[in-house]
Amino acid sequence: FSALLATPVQAEVLDVAVQAAAGGPAAGREVTLRNAGTGFAMQATTSADGRVRFDGVPTGTRYAILVDGTTLAEDVSLRASEAKSITLT
């Protein structure tokens, strides 16, 4: 008897930069990365330079990025071994 377990493929990293309306970094903002299809979600708070980094995100499509509960990006796709950066205003 043998079992084969599939390991989910993961993206390397997703960097998100959040800018304030005036154009500078938005520190202390809650950023949520969510995939409604799979139920996967991660949260982080932006640093002084307005950035968050999500490591080990499962590959897939239909990710949404919310800042303080407001959706600012939809249909974000992540592929295996991909490093992706997104800037949101």
Side-chain angles (χ1 to χ4, degrees):
F1 178 85
S2 65
L4 178 63
L5 299 177
T7 303
V9 178
Q10 298 200 348
E12 296 216 359
V13 66
L14 174 64
D15 281 314
V16 179
V18 181
Q19 294 182 341
R29 307 296 290 274
E30 181 179 294
V31 179
T32 303
L33 176 65
R34 182 172 54 208
N35 186 313
T38 65
F40 176 86
M42 291 178 88
Q43 290 184 327
T45 302
T46 58
S47 60
D49 66 354
R51 294 180 125 2
V52 295
R53 179 179 174 130
F54 296 104
D55 287 309
V57 178
T59 58
T61 58
R62 298 182 46 224
Y63 278 99
I65 301 173
L66 295 81
V67 177
D68 294 334
T70 301
T71 302
L72 295 184
E74 294 183 282
D75 295 324
V76 176
S77 296
L78 298 170
R79 293 185 298 242
S81 301
E82 178 180 34
K84 188 173 228 170
S85 294
I86 296 177
T87 300
L88 303 172
T89 306

